Amino acid sequence: MIKLNKLTKVYRTDEIESTALNEVTFDIQQGEFVSIMGPSGCGKSTLLNILGMLDKPESGSYEFLGNEVGHLNEKGRSDVRKKNIGFIFQNFNLIDELTVFENIELPLLYNKINASERKQQVNALMEKIGIAHRANHFPQQLSGGQQQRVAVARALITKPPLILADEPTGNLDSSHGNEVMELMCELHEAGTTIVMVTHSSHDASYSGRIINLLDGQIVSEKQNKLAQAAV
Ligand code: ADP
Ligand code: MG
């Protein structure tokens, strides 16, 4: 599904150049659940943003479903993203002016799902993820953990084939964190490909493969046989 070859990203400000990703190469097969781990600042979010086509690399290639992403224009990338990718942002990126219901509904609107279907799907997911009682609240009226759950629901609502999750349990207590991870496992078992950035080795233990980044480079990779056996 994903093929990266020598992907490099350099951030430039007036005087400083910093290499956030340095020749990162790996493949992710359809249906895999992969964790990306590493210390703060090692390039995890940069990598996920490029996978989500929200940012562009300096050099190297990124093939998604057999197509070179670098050859797509802005609209092409946006179309591929809306159709295939659910993104859970580290900082949520919820829309302050929209209610919880409306935030979760948005991707269904983009995909032109009719109103009654939208209502039914959003209500069912809000119920499942324990946020239904906040349907008409705005993001600023929610705790960090509740905002995180809305962000997760918004990424899952269209059942995209690829979920990219940037520290999806980072703002949750352990019981809500485990609920999010159980949801991830359910999606994975249903065939969704998941790439998750995490600090937590507990969360990573749910995934089938762990990629360790350090200073923008892959330093090690290991299969997680226990998680694979569980699927
Ligand atoms: P992580 O998610 O692993 O904590 P990031 O991908 O956010 O790391 O950042 C990797 C490196 O790139 C860091 O050194 C960070 O300071 C730098 N960086 C990230 N985003 C920007 C940006 N927009 N402009 C300049 N430097 C950035
Ligand atoms: Mg990050």
Side-chain angles (χ1 to χ4, degrees):
M1 177 179 245
I2 287 172
K3 241 181 193 319
L4 297 185
N5 190 24
K6 297 194 175 175
L7 202 80
T8 294
K9 173 77 186 178
V10 180
Y11 287 111
R12 289 192 177 82
T13 51
D14 285 345
E15 280 132 41
I16 306 163
E17 242 188 42
S18 83
T19 303
L21 295 174
N22 191 356
E23 302 207 337
V24 171
T25 298
F26 62 75
D27 290 359
I28 294 176
Q29 309 303 322
Q30 200 129 11
E32 267 198 282
F33 183 174
V34 176
S35 290
I36 296 173
M37 297 191 78
S40 189
C42 72
K44 304 182 298 297
S45 294
T46 302
L47 177 58
L48 213 63
N49 289 339
I50 291 175
L51 291 179
M53 303 173 202
L54 301 165
D55 202 352
K56 287 182 185 171
E58 167 98 4
S59 61
S61 80
Y62 171 19
E63 254 183 48
F64 181 73
L65 293 173
N67 298 311
E68 177 55 51
V69 174
H71 295 161
L72 299 172
N73 61 18
E74 190 69 43
K75 166 138 187 352
R77 285 199 305 275
S78 157
D79 288 347
V80 173
R81 187 165 62 233
K82 280 178 190 153
K83 184 159 169 244
N84 296 289
I85 302 176
F87 202 106
I88 303 171
F89 292 91
Q90 186 168 19
N91 58 358
F92 317 130
N93 269 10
L94 298 174
I95 299 176
D96 289 341
E97 294 73 25
L98 300 183
T99 63
V100 165
F101 183 98
E102 290 164 343
N103 265 284
I104 301 172
E105 182 188 32
L106 207 55
L108 295 176
L109 268 169
Y110 288 145
N111 284 329
K112 303 192 168 64
I113 307 296
N114 72 50
S116 70
E117 185 94 340
R118 291 201 302 269
K119 191 168 173 202
Q120 187 255 322
Q121 288 185 21
V122 174
N123 283 336
L125 187 56
M126 285 194 307
E127 203 61 58
K128 182 164 186 180
I129 203 157
I131 200 80
H133 60 301
R134 297 282 187 236
N136 297 316
H137 286 64
F138 291 91
Q140 310 92 303
Q141 301 172 310
L142 305 178
S143 71
Q146 289 168 334
Q147 291 183 39
Q148 176 80 78
R149 276 181 278 160
V150 177
V152 169
R154 184 185 54 184
L156 304 188
I157 191 72
T158 57
K159 303 190 178 75
L162 173 65
I163 295 275
L164 301 175
D166 198 347
E167 312 243 10
T169 66
N171 297 284
L172 302 181
D173 60 41
S174 62
S175 94
H176 285 130
N178 284 338
E179 282 170 21
V180 166
M181 289 313 301
E182 279 161 25
L183 209 59
M184 293 281 182
C185 289
E186 261 179 53
L187 288 163
H188 178 224
E189 281 160 34
T192 309
T193 308
I194 301 176
V195 183
M196 175 177 75
V197 162
T198 181
H199 264 105
S200 151
S201 46
H202 172 75
D203 290 355
S205 73
Y206 290 93
S207 63
R209 180 154 63 113
I210 299 170
I211 294 174
N212 287 297
L213 275 187
L214 187 64
D215 294 337
Q217 289 185 301
I218 295 181
V219 285
S220 65
E221 222 186 287
K222 72 168 195 268
Q223 301 288 332
N224 181 6
K225 298 238 161 48
L226 279 176
Q228 285 171 326
V231 173

